[in-house]
Amino acid sequence: MIKITSLYKKYQLETIEIPALEDVSLQISKGETWGIIGPSQSGKSTLCRILGGKEQPTSGVIDWVENTEQKKDYSQLLREKKIATLFQDFPILWSKTLEQNLSLLFEIHGIKKQSIPRKIQTVLKWVELQGKAHCYLPQLSGEERQRAALACVLVHRPHVLLCDETRLRVEPTRKKYILELIRSLQQKQNLTVIYFTYDMTLVRTYCSHVAVFQHAHLIEKGEVQEVLCHPKADVTKVLLQNNT
Ligand code: ADP
């Protein structure tokens, strides 16, 4: 479980202080799929970057709780690449084929050389790119590149996928295909998936839980069914109206 306690992030622009996250506490259990939703500038991307280890919070704590009370160092999980961020950048070398990229990653991961070809085939099968092993990144479509990036993060057998859906710029049918693929992986591997999105339809279709942000604050959270059928906050009602 990811346990976020009293998280604050403030940016300083010359003399102006910009609050991006204010007193955010949230618990996300293993195997859940969360939608972090809110209007523009509500803090979603900041939370994604902090959970992905790309930025430090101003204050607050993020713990990884294994079972009831056994805590693990969250930054250790980041170092082990057990928390993977998708759709923000490509963890792929352009000068190597997809197969060579995966081979390198498995080697770095400490996998024995003779096991690597089999493992590459498994990962390519997960993302349905078996026929593209010998392609370089420029030879793949935008959507195939996203799946190639997914293959690369799966090498490390992540516990959590942070999916910045606002950065997934592919046409709607291909987006649906990627989201279905992630759902299938989530179910088979009991992954925790967190979407950062504006899209209520995505939340309704793919998420078990939702957290609604506005002006850096976590306004409302809970199971999708409960929050979407009985929204309490005005911001949730507006997001629902705009997304039906
Ligand atoms: P969202 O992803 O919901 O659109 P962000 O997390 O990007 O929201 O932004 C939250 C707030 O933090 C906004 O007011 C934004 O302008 C500010 N902010 C985000 N990143 C930076 C930054 N690097 N420097 C200064 N302000 C930032």
Side-chain angles (χ1 to χ4, degrees):
M1 173 204 284
I2 300 176
K3 189 174 176 193
I4 303 167
T5 312
S6 297
L7 202 68
Y8 285 81
K9 178 70 183 180
K10 292 180 177 36
Y11 292 104
Q12 193 76 35
L13 276 186
E14 296 180 355
T15 55
I16 305 164
E17 198 172 71
I18 301 168
L21 293 173
E22 296 238 60
D23 198 14
V24 172
S25 294
L26 185 61
Q27 296 188 4
I28 297 181
S29 295
K30 194 170 167 54
E32 290 177 346
T33 300
W34 277 75
I36 306 294
I37 195 159
S40 184
Q41 307 208 330
S42 56
K44 304 181 297 293
S45 306
T46 303
L47 182 62
C48 183
R49 289 194 298 272
I50 291 174
L51 287 176
K54 295 186 171 64
E55 274 183 33
Q56 290 298 316
T58 308
S59 64
V61 182
I62 305 173
D63 284 312
W64 179 264
V65 184
E66 283 285 318
N67 25 53
T68 37
E69 271 313 312
Q70 195 189 345
K71 283 184 189 165
K72 212 171 160 183
D73 185 2
Y74 188 80
S75 49
Q76 178 64 27
L77 286 165
L78 286 169
R79 281 194 293 278
E80 291 169 2
K81 301 194 186 302
K82 296 292 183 194
I83 316 286
T85 303
L86 289 176
F87 315 143
Q88 279 189 348
D89 41 35
F90 289 106
I92 302 180
L93 298 173
W94 287 60
S95 58
K96 293 192 183 296
T97 64
L98 178 53
E99 186 179 45
Q100 288 166 342
N101 267 283
L102 290 169
S103 179
L104 200 61
L105 286 168
F106 276 119
E107 258 180 71
I108 296 167
H109 199 55
I111 302 297
K112 283 195 199 115
K113 269 218 152 89
Q114 61 267 35
S115 314
I116 290 178
R118 188 175 40 83
K119 287 192 176 288
I120 290 175
Q121 285 315 311
T122 305
V123 166
L124 288 176
K125 201 167 158 208
W126 284 339
V127 299
E128 301 178 358
L129 277 179
Q130 296 98 312
K132 304 283 177 170
H134 302 295
C135 289
Y136 292 88
L137 200 59
Q139 295 172 314
L140 300 175
S141 73
E143 179 268 323
E144 284 171 339
R145 285 180 202 177
Q146 297 291 355
R147 279 189 281 143
L150 176 58
C152 289
V153 305
L154 290 174
V155 164
H156 306 283
R157 299 305 298 258
H159 300 328
V160 180
L161 296 182
L162 305 172
C163 305
D164 185 355
E165 187 268 340
T166 59
R167 306 279 287 275
L168 177 57
R169 295 196 178 89
V170 295
E171 58 138 321
T173 53
R174 301 316 289 168
K175 183 186 273 193
K176 185 167 182 281
Y177 173 54
I178 292 184
L179 299 179
E180 293 287 343
L181 202 63
I182 290 175
R183 172 151 68 186
S184 146
L185 284 167
Q186 182 268 330
Q187 287 167 350
K188 282 187 204 137
Q189 304 189 11
N190 199 24
L191 294 170
T192 304
V193 178
I194 309 176
Y195 285 107
F196 299 83
T197 181
Y198 302 106
D199 185 351
M200 224 19 141
T201 308
L202 182 155
V203 172
R204 200 179 279 117
T205 313
Y206 295 100
C207 298
S208 58
H209 293 74
V210 60
V212 185
F213 280 71
Q214 187 183 34
H215 303 316
H217 291 270
L218 173 49
I219 304 289
E220 183 163 20
K221 64 184 171 188
E223 289 183 13
V224 165
Q225 281 291 89
E226 181 59 27
V227 174
L228 299 199
C229 293
H230 308 286
K232 294 190 183 76
D234 288 344
V235 60
T236 315
K237 291 174 192 166
V238 171
L239 287 166
L240 277 165
Q241 271 165 16
N242 293 345
N243 259 269
T244 44

